[in-house]
Amino acid sequence: MASGKDTEFLVIGGGVVGAAIAYGLLRRGRTVRLLDEGDDAFRAARGNFGLVWVQGKGAGNPGYARWSCAAARDWQGFADELEHRTGTDLQLQQAGGMHLCLTDGEMAARQLELDAVASRIGEPYPYEMLDPAQVSRLLPSIGPEVVGGSFSPLDGHVSPLRLLKALHQAIHALGGQHEAGVRIDELTHAGGRFVAHAPEHVFKSGRVVLTAGLGNAQLAPMVGLEAPVTPVRGQVLICERAAPFLPLPTLQVRQTGDGGVQIGDSKENVGMDDSTSVDQLSRIAARAVRCFPALANVNVVRAWGALRVMTPDGLPIYEESQRCPGAFVVTCHSGITLASAHAGALAAWLDGGERPAHIDTFTAERFHVQTS
């Protein structure tokens, strides 16, 4: 059985969340080994929508709104640094984002949602509610059924695959060790060291960060932590390249830097099933055409389903083990938006720094509050 050289940090999970954290730790001068499961794993990082998005996040938790806004504000600098290190264009566009509404009821609900966040966040929360004429000045291709929308200048989008590629390139350039095709079956702690066991391999480290998405549910209890995560499927349609028509991303439709059109936004509790279904894809396509009628003549080239990593309340978990100090669990469903924060403030905390105030409430203890 092969044994890897000891490192200061072992990051288990090589998607965007784990790669951003590994990059942040390496940037701080730490030695890091990133373990990545095989290509048959359920990968949220390779099935997401690529949005850098704050609109509506944190309606029930102002800390999450502040954490998301801080990450969005840091994104341009984060992208510039990654692109300088790797030469990979992330195709970041952050001139704002739009949430389109097709009924007066949707518009009223959106207004209430954003007003609730703004009233509790305790800092500027930029957004505007726009009528159809105002929306059309920003998105001239909208259809007549659009009754308005909400706009935030903090929002944008990026190529998620280019981001993941750039993070892995930067990890390699900074001397990080990346082990692909590794599934951890057992994780132990003794004498202040962690030992991760995989078929044919043993890895040792001083600290371990669990970023394995849905796999955290099994790994976390091995080091005295908890990750009550479940899968929520999202389905996506990819259309052929089209002439530029969408200068800003919306929550359901975006045009990529290569000209392709990505359409999505489904939420399904179907267990570990990442297949697609005609009923959901039809619903997604129908709404997209109502928003942008020109899409009726654009060909669909492929579709996929991917599994989001969701906690019971939809918020992240960032927690260090009391039983095994030095073991951390990190899980969220906004890995793209939060990548800049994970590489920055979160990596500093994992490295022994101060825990960011915005994430004080994001431990698994919140799921065990007694009401009696």
Side-chain angles (χ1 to χ4, degrees):
M1 178 175 289
S3 180
K5 182 180 178 181
D6 283 23
T7 52
E8 292 174 288
F9 281 88
L10 190 64
V11 180
I12 302 178
V16 169
V17 174
I21 288 171
Y23 169 62
L25 292 169
L26 286 161
R27 198 171 53 174
R28 296 177 61 82
R30 300 305 173 198
T31 59
V32 179
R33 175 178 278 110
L34 178 67
L35 303 183
D36 195 4
E37 199 175 348
D39 283 339
D40 58 346
F42 290 101
R43 294 180 181 275
R46 294 186 179 176
N48 64 67
F49 209 61
L51 295 179
V52 177
W53 206 260
V54 301
Q55 280 194 62
K57 291 183 178 178
N61 188 304
Y64 188 48
R66 290 189 287 268
W67 184 234
S68 298
C69 287
R73 292 188 177 100
D74 287 345
W75 236 101
Q76 185 65 64
F78 173 65
D80 290 344
E81 180 184 311
L82 265 181
E83 290 176 355
H84 177 73
R85 287 186 185 273
T86 67
T88 296
D89 178 10
L90 304 186
Q91 297 181 339
L92 174 67
Q93 297 180 23
Q94 201 172 4
M98 188 80 69
H99 176 99
L100 297 177
C101 299
L102 294 176
T103 67
D104 291 337
E106 287 183 8
M107 194 73 173
R110 188 65 172 172
Q111 176 89 62
L112 287 173
E113 182 181 30
L114 297 184
D115 287 350
V117 179
S119 68
R120 299 186 62 193
I121 190 173
E123 62 181 52
Y125 184 67
Y127 70 96
E128 297 178 76
M129 299 300 299
L130 307 180
D131 63 28
Q134 292 170 315
V135 173
S136 67
R137 283 196 284 271
L138 294 173
L139 299 176
S141 55
I142 61 166
E145 292 189 65
V146 174
V147 302
S150 60
F151 170 82
S152 171
L154 290 179
D155 294 334
H157 61 145
V158 70
S159 168
L161 295 183
R162 286 171 177 256
L163 171 61
L164 188 59
K165 174 186 175 183
L167 285 169
H168 282 244
Q169 288 175 316
I171 288 167
H172 178 75
L174 290 170
Q177 301 174 54
H178 177 211
E179 304 282 350
V182 174
R183 178 182 176 87
I184 298 303
D185 297 323
E186 184 182 6
L187 186 60
T188 59
H189 178 249
R193 306 292 292 172
F194 293 92
V195 181
H197 301 265
E200 310 300 328
H201 296 281
V202 173
F203 304 99
K204 300 178 181 179
S205 66
R207 295 189 175 199
V208 64
V209 187
L210 304 180
T211 61
L214 295 169
N216 277 349
Q218 288 74 44
L219 292 171
M222 298 179 187
V223 286
L225 288 163
E226 184 180 3
V229 292
T230 54
V232 175
R233 185 173 69 188
Q235 296 186 46
V236 174
L237 287 165
I238 302 296
C239 299
E240 64 184 341
R241 294 180 182 181
F245 75 98
L246 193 55
L248 301 174
T250 74
L251 196 60
Q252 289 88 20
V253 184
R254 75 179 190 100
Q255 189 166 26
T256 71
D258 299 320
V261 181
Q262 189 170 1
I263 306 171
D265 193 31
S266 69
K267 299 177 178 66
E268 306 165 81
N269 296 308
V270 293
M272 301 296 283
D273 178 2
D274 64 353
S275 62
T276 59
S277 61
V278 173
D279 60 334
Q280 285 293 333
L281 294 177
S282 298
R283 181 189 62 79
I284 291 167
R287 184 179 179 96
V289 171
R290 292 174 69 191
C291 292
F292 301 102
L295 289 176
N297 299 315
V298 174
N299 293 318
V300 174
V301 295
R302 62 186 179 275
W304 66 69
L307 301 181
R308 298 179 181 90
V309 182
M310 200 67 65
T311 60
D313 60 6
L315 299 175
I317 299 173
Y318 304 111
E319 190 166 3
E320 182 177 9
S321 174
Q322 295 184 14
R323 193 185 83 195
C324 305
F328 301 84
V329 63
V330 175
T331 187
C332 72
H333 76 280
S334 295
I336 302 293
T337 301
L338 297 175
S340 60
H342 289 164
L346 193 76
W349 169 59
L350 298 171
D351 194 28
E354 184 176 354
R355 182 182 175 94
H358 298 333
I359 66 170
D360 279 345
T361 61
F362 299 143
T363 69
E365 292 179 4
R366 68 184 187 268
F367 304 121
H368 302 288
V369 175
Q370 295 184 2
T371 58
S372 60

